[in-house]
């Protein structure tokens, strides 16, 4: 989900590239830095700082829906944690967004097969209670192909099962049901929207996530069924007409201002140039946001801490950003990019950890040709962690996307997401799902990558892209 | 949980054994019956009747808490299903019990770490809202050892983690926390009771189950936390005092009369002698009662149906009992035993399938010496299904216990319960957790066992035990 990138594209008619000073010469990683990185890597693998941070956030703050009371506690937690870890600078930058609240939600089959259904409202759903016959569609295309008005007074049920995969590629089609399904259903006349969760588990824990309604449509209550409940509703629908009651109390309620919380370990010789790493501080409300994304916070805070404990600081600063409200539209990432657009070229590389806590298996950057050899050198330092160099692959993490669009070069540390969508956006996203050893491997990878990027002689192609709008 | 057996023991001062006619001579299984059983076994493995029945009950009735509206629908379902399957006789026998209702339940950590906790009220819990500091105990013994009055105004939290095992043996200590913990907590002054679920999963689906309060105590709201929530509460408690609010709306509300639903395939030559197999029709309300115990209903109904489809009926009748309200105290099993006490000896063997839908791995009966060879012959017919003869092991299934106490010999078909307590009494007990091939193996085992028991020449030692009460 990259609304910022999608929105920006049609506006950009011309792009100016303001290359940084060293852009022309080959970027290199000093041999001494590679030696230091090897020691850092081994130290990180034996260190539990990442785990302790992740445990602290998920336990002491718990669920932290953007705009909720816990959002403010999370901000305070992050500031205190950065200070406790010895970051040289700690500050916040405001992020303002509309506030959505979930108050209650339930659904039930009515009639001769009466029984409750485990659902969760999609983020952005309005409240309301609707009853109607369920019309099942195998996927989003089937719903979109339904006759106009054919769902009048009915509840649409999109029963698409997304597949599991290491790289999460199945989520594209799964999340499209969530983002586009409600509007498609409304256009056909539906009074409510149900979907099989965009998930890969078989537990009674439905997967939430943001949805949006197209302009001009009147939103209807929209929810996801757990996978077993989708199975059940499909079986019932196959037996004959099924009536369901869907009752949601939720909705948008004004604006809220949260904070991107930022900690920096100051660089030795080029302190104004930064390597940016981070995760997002907010979570959905159903679980404690362990894999999404306390792990990302823990991994990146710990990586910076371990770098700061080295005998000598790297040349550039290591900046860790705990982004606000990623879940409801990359608000933190957009705010950061807007505030730092002019500094896009001073961000050497930027990477967000936001795909769980599975082991990292691949690495790449979006650097141009003059920094490909340096990228490969970093990959070689990561190889003992079971990480392969994957030229031509990857991209910017969610909250890095907007900054990348401003000119900063992304780095990509690909996590194994084979079980990520078992847990993503569910009540089951809790600390026990994280393997401490895999988390330490992530910390080691982020530490090595960030350290070497901060020690590199030369740049990775970050620029300031100036967009010219259409007249 | 065998309250009937426990209660009966101290009353029995003298026992009379009225042996059946053939008790003295060696029981044998005719060779022709063994040949037929081999064909039956292969037919059952390729048959999906058991699956279809299990699917029908879990889908069309869904959750069926004893005494609920769905209890009555389940009874109607069972009568109709027996008829549809061609049972020769279908009847019901009343089962009356106190009715417990669950209306709502929630819990939350209060204060600086405020967050919701996933709980479920224990069956039998009263309603009420309590707030108090949590006092954690590692196990039931630790709670029982607490100083009198030490929990005044507080909420007891017993954090015992039961282990997983194939035979379910870890459940003894796990379920003791549920049955005895609340009363122990009340004795120490607690205003509420929380326990780590008696379960082996790591999902946000707490495990319910019946509890009882000792006479003379005033019951307090009592609930189980999901395993991840117990982890979380333990972590919070380790950080300092934690206050929790526990709010339950539930309670006992009069009596309800449900039915044991019974179907019989009439025997060829000794129709009044029966082999009894069955499962329980009720379930807890959180899931759809798939492994507990729609599977038992499906397995035993299908086994009888497959036997009835053989070229020639066995000598004795095959009786399938869908027991009412097992979950809240073996009410169906006790009612059946009370109604059929005088016929205990005419029940050749009795077996209940109530430990999920995992493959059967062992077989035995409680038969005396003169029928051990016949038991072994049946075991040999089961061996191709991967089932071993386990002399000296096993016992009566829950609802068979009361009848066994009246004199009927039990048979034991041991199911692999390695994952049973991942699902038991949770919202996750749904159809998708059942492996159709494993279910068919169960059907084959029950069919072979029941057929051979019904064809045996001679008996398995069932008698009528007459109890004489103390003066």
């Amino acid at each position: 989900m990259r609304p910022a990138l999608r929105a920006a594209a049609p506006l950009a008619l011309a792009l100016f590239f303001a290359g940084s000073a060293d852009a022309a010469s080959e970027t290199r990683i000093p041999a001494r830095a590679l030696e230091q990185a090897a020691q850092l890597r081994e130290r990180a693998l034996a260190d539990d700082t990442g785990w302790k941070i992740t445990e602290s956030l998920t336990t002491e703050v718990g669920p932290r829906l953007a705009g909720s009371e816990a959002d403010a506690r999370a901000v305070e937690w992050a500031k205190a944690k950065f200070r406790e870890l010895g970051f040289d600078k700690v500050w916040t930058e405001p992020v303002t967004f509309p506030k959505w609240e979930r108050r209650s939600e339930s659904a039930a089959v009515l009639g001769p097969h009466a029984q409750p259904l485990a659902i969760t409202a999609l983020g952005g759903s309005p409240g309301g209670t609707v009853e109607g016959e369920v019309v099942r569609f195998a996927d989003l295309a089937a719903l979109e192909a339904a006759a106009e008005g054919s769902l009048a007074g009915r509840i649409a049920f999109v029963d698409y099962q997304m597949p599991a995969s290491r790289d999460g590629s199945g989520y594209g089609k799964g999340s499209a049901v969530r983002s586009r399904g409600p509007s498609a259903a409304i256009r056909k006349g539906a009074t409510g929207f149900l979907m099989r969760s965009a998930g890969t588990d078989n537990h009674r824990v439905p997967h939430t996530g943001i949805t949006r309604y197209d302009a001009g449509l009147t939103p209807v209550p929209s929810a996801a069924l757990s996978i077993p409940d989708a199975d059940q509703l499909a079986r019932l629908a196959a037996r004959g007409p099924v009536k369901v009651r869907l009752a949601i109390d939720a909705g948008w309620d004004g604006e809220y201002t949260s904070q991107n919380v930022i900690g920096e370990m100051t660089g030795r010789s080029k302190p104004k140039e930064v390597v940016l790493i981070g995760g997002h501080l907010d979570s959905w409300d159903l679980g404690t946001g362990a894999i999404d994304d306390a792990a990302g916070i823990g991994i990146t805070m710990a990586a910076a801490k371990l770098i700061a404990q080295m005998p000598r600081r790297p040349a550039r600063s290591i900046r860790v950003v705990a982004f606000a409200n990623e879940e409801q539209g990359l608000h933190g990432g957009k705010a950061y990019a807007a505030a730092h657009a002019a500094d896009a070229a001073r961000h050497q590389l930027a990477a967000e950890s936001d795909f769980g806590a599975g082991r990292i298996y691949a690495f790449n950057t979006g650097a141009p040709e003059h920094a490909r050899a340096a990228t490969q050198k970093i990959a070689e330092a990561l190889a003992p962690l079971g990480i392969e160099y994957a030229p031509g692959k990857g991209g910017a993490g969610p909250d890095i996307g907007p900054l990348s669009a401003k000119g900063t070069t992304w780095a990509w540390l690909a996590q194994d997401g084979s079980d990520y969508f078992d847990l993503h956006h569910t009540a089951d996203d809790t600390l026990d799902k994280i393997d401490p050893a895999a988390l330490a491997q992530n910390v080691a990878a982020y530490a090595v990558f960030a350290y070497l990027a901060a020690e590199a002689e030369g740049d990775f192609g970050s620029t300031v892209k100036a967009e010219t709008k259409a007249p």
Side-chain angles (χ1 to χ4, degrees), chain A residues 349-368:
Chain A
L349 279 172
E352 183 180 22
S353 171
D354 184 21
F355 196 51
R359 285 175 187 272
I360 294 170
Y361 65 91
F363 172 74
N364 193 23
T365 72

Side-chain angles (χ1 to χ4, degrees), chain A residues 1-6 8 276 323 326 329-330 332-338 344 350-352 354 395-411 465 467:
Chain A
M1 200 192 58
R2 308 272 168 76
L5 293 176
R6 285 207 213 95
L276 187 156
F323 291 99
E326 184 272 350
L330 313 182
K334 291 178 195 171
Y336 186 89
E352 183 180 22
D354 184 21
D399 285 309
I400 301 304
L403 183 66
S404 175
K406 301 289 186 191
T408 297
T409 302
W410 52 262
K465 293 182 186 170
E467 294 173 9

Side-chain angles (χ1 to χ4, degrees), chain A residues 63-75 95-102 251-259 281-285 323-328 331:
Chain A
R64 45 201 181 279
L65 185 69
S68 70
E69 169 272 339
D71 183 320
R73 281 196 286 123
V75 167
V95 182
T96 299
F97 47 81
K99 177 178 163 186
W100 182 79
E101 291 183 329
R102 183 197 312 276
W252 297 104
D253 182 20
E255 284 200 331
Y256 182 87
T257 297
S258 184
Q259 307 289 331
L281 188 55
D282 70 311
S283 77
W284 280 105
D285 49 339
F323 291 99
N325 197 349
E326 184 272 350
E327 293 294 4
Q328 298 173 22
H331 293 284

Side-chain angles (χ1 to χ4, degrees), chain A residues 179-316:
Chain A
S179 53
R180 290 161 45 200
S183 291
I186 294 165
R187 280 195 201 91
K188 309 299 181 181
T191 57
F193 176 81
L194 288 173
M195 64 179 283
R196 177 181 286 261
S197 282
T200 53
D201 61 295
N202 67 344
H203 299 286
R204 299 290 295 284
V205 288
H207 299 236
T208 190
I210 198 75
T211 190
R212 305 210 179 283
Y213 299 89
D214 292 347
L217 300 178
T218 302
V220 300
S222 304
L225 294 151
S226 86
I227 308 287
D229 290 83
D231 290 344
Q232 183 82 332
L233 190 54
R235 279 191 295 268
L236 284 166
R239 280 163 161 78
V242 185
K243 201 171 172 185
V244 162
R245 177 191 298 126
L246 173 60
I248 292 174
D249 182 8
W252 297 104
D253 182 20
E255 284 200 331
Y256 182 87
T257 297
S258 184
Q259 307 289 331
N260 284 335
V261 187
I262 305 170
E264 192 165 283
M265 296 293 194
T266 308
R268 180 182 79 244
S269 55
K270 302 175 184 172
K272 295 202 170 176
E273 296 186 19
V274 303
V275 175
L276 187 156
I277 56 178
H280 65 85
L281 188 55
D282 70 311
S283 77
W284 280 105
D285 49 339
L286 304 177
T288 61
I291 65 150
D292 188 14
D293 184 29
I297 299 290
I299 290 162
T300 55
M301 280 187 175
K305 166 72 176 173
L306 287 162
I307 291 170
Q309 287 174 327
M310 297 174 78
R312 194 173 74 148
R313 284 284 172 89
R316 298 181 183 83

Side-chain angles (χ1 to χ4, degrees), chain A residues 48-57 60 76-90 261-265 301-302 304-306 308-309:
Chain A
D48 66 356
T49 304
W51 174 264
K52 284 179 174 163
I53 297 166
T54 307
E55 184 194 47
S56 173
L57 177 55
E60 295 160 24
E76 292 308 309
W77 174 91
K79 286 156 65 180
K81 190 60 69 179
F82 274 129
R83 290 193 189 106
E84 179 191 325
L85 291 167
F87 277 72
D88 299 310
K89 294 182 199 162
V90 181
V261 187
I262 305 170
E264 192 165 283
M265 296 293 194
M301 280 187 175
K305 166 72 176 173
L306 287 162
Q309 287 174 327

